[in-house]
Amino acid sequence: MVIEAEKELQVLNGSNPGTWTLFTNGSSNVTGAGLGIVLIPPLGETIRQAIKCHPITNNEVEYEVVITGLEFVRELGIEQVIIKSDSQLVVNQMQGTYIARESRMQQNLEKAQDLVRQFQSWKILQIPKEDNVEADALANFASAAEVKNEENAFVIHLFHSALDQDKNEVNFNNLTWDWRNEIVKFLQNGISPEDKKKAQALRRKAARYCLERGNLYRKIFRGPLARCLGHSRTEYVIKEVHEGHCGNHAGGRSLVKTLIRVGYY
């Protein structure tokens, strides 16, 4: 949605300082593992994310979602965060009340502690399950979702554990072949055409873009990042801008300016 783009770009440009609240919950079952993240700013709209990940245990998935959520928060430039989880184990281990004895849990704890030390201030609180229903719903949805096509484009897919350095790859199968794919493949994996002239042209072109949490953004001179759209989403966004709170405009040029202003490219 247009509001979602405005919200993301506000965050990326640090226009919402203060203490943010991060609700996390994990789901692990026979259909897979899912992470639910709900990030609430001091002012403005809530950010929600459903993430599909590799099969892991119930305890590990609770750490996975905290670590993934904290990495997301740090990437957005947020300095103060309160983490709210219904996992007694994770909360007490991070508070130092419980000791992590199993090797994998020790690694998860160390990873989470390394992340929270990067914040100006942080705390983690255990909350009842009934106060965490939104993150729980996102986690359950992600665990059951099949990330194969554009219908599930709002579900991120992590192929590796947060403990596996430099291996958290985003599933780009949901990007049907369009103008973004060549740039995404180059930025993510360094894949370029064999033809030297085409490869040089792609490198120059890709320098104007960046990847943030699996989304492709265009760098705007003296302006915010603009989220890049493919053909399948363009018609929907144009329709929404026409009918939404930005609806009063005249002509194509004005429409283009409106789309850029709300954070799309």
Side-chain angles (χ1 to χ4, degrees):
M1 295 177 66
V2 170
I3 292 176
E4 293 293 321
E6 283 185 303
K7 176 174 59 185
E8 289 183 25
L9 290 161
Q10 278 183 345
V11 175
L12 287 169
N13 286 278
S15 57
N16 274 330
T19 301
W20 293 58
T21 303
L22 174 66
F23 288 84
T24 67
N25 201 5
S27 172
S28 183
N29 51 51
V30 293
T31 61
L35 316 179
I37 293 172
V38 178
L39 183 59
I40 302 177
L43 296 172
E45 297 290 330
T46 298
I47 299 172
R48 300 169 179 85
Q49 185 62 65
I51 302 172
K52 179 89 171 182
C53 70
H54 54 287
I56 47 179
T57 67
N58 287 322
N59 287 336
E60 284 184 299
V61 78
E62 294 294 351
Y63 259 118
E64 190 84 18
V65 67
V66 169
I67 290 170
T68 302
L70 287 171
E71 288 176 336
F72 177 47
V73 171
R74 284 302 297 150
E75 285 182 10
L76 297 180
I78 297 164
E79 297 292 345
Q80 302 172 58
V81 63
I82 297 175
I83 310 152
K84 294 188 176 182
S85 169
D86 57 43
S87 172
Q88 183 179 20
L89 178 70
V90 171
V91 172
N92 281 277
Q93 285 184 351
M94 289 189 66
Q95 289 176 340
T97 307
Y98 290 0
I99 297 174
R101 301 185 185 278
E102 196 268 329
S103 174
R104 190 75 175 175
M105 299 305 286
Q106 289 175 353
Q107 294 177 57
N108 278 305
L109 177 58
E110 289 172 4
K111 177 75 172 181
Q113 289 175 332
D114 286 342
L115 285 167
V116 294
R117 280 194 285 265
Q118 298 175 33
F119 292 89
Q120 289 180 357
S121 67
W122 72 277
K123 68 170 65 173
I124 185 166
L125 304 172
Q126 184 185 357
I127 59 174
K129 288 185 178 295
E130 55 266 27
D131 292 342
N132 206 25
V133 291
E134 194 168 16
D136 180 59
L138 289 168
N140 287 325
F141 171 72
S143 68
E146 293 186 18
V147 187
K148 291 183 177 180
N149 51 44
E150 191 111 9
E151 292 180 2
N152 287 320
F154 45 85
V155 179
I156 289 177
H157 193 177
L158 300 182
F159 292 107
H160 300 274
S161 166
L163 298 180
D164 298 328
Q165 295 294 325
D166 302 322
K167 290 184 179 179
N168 279 349
E169 306 168 24
V170 178
N171 180 7
F172 279 96
N173 292 336
N174 54 7
L175 291 180
T176 54
W177 185 254
D178 59 34
W179 69 273
R180 298 171 297 172
N181 285 27
E182 188 178 50
I183 301 171
V184 167
K185 288 182 178 180
F186 178 78
L187 292 175
Q188 187 178 23
N189 300 313
I191 299 173
S192 60
E194 293 183 5
D195 183 274
K196 290 185 178 180
K197 289 185 177 180
K198 291 182 178 179
Q200 289 176 352
L202 177 59
R203 282 195 291 271
R204 288 194 296 269
K205 185 177 182 180
R208 299 191 292 270
Y209 297 85
C210 65
L211 284 173
E212 293 283 350
R213 300 297 297 181
N215 294 309
L216 183 66
Y217 289 89
R218 167 71 181 230
K219 300 173 184 176
I220 305 296
F221 181 67
R222 291 184 178 179
L225 296 176
R227 184 166 179 173
C228 299
L229 297 175
H231 298 299
S232 59
R233 291 284 293 170
T234 301
E235 183 177 352
Y236 170 79
V237 171
I238 290 175
K239 181 179 179 181
E240 183 174 296
V241 169
H242 267 291
E243 297 178 352
H245 67 284
C246 302
N248 293 325
H249 58 76
R253 288 180 179 272
S254 180
L255 175 59
V256 169
K257 290 179 181 179
T258 301
L259 290 169
I260 294 172
R261 189 167 61 249
V262 298
Y264 285 122
Y265 179 78

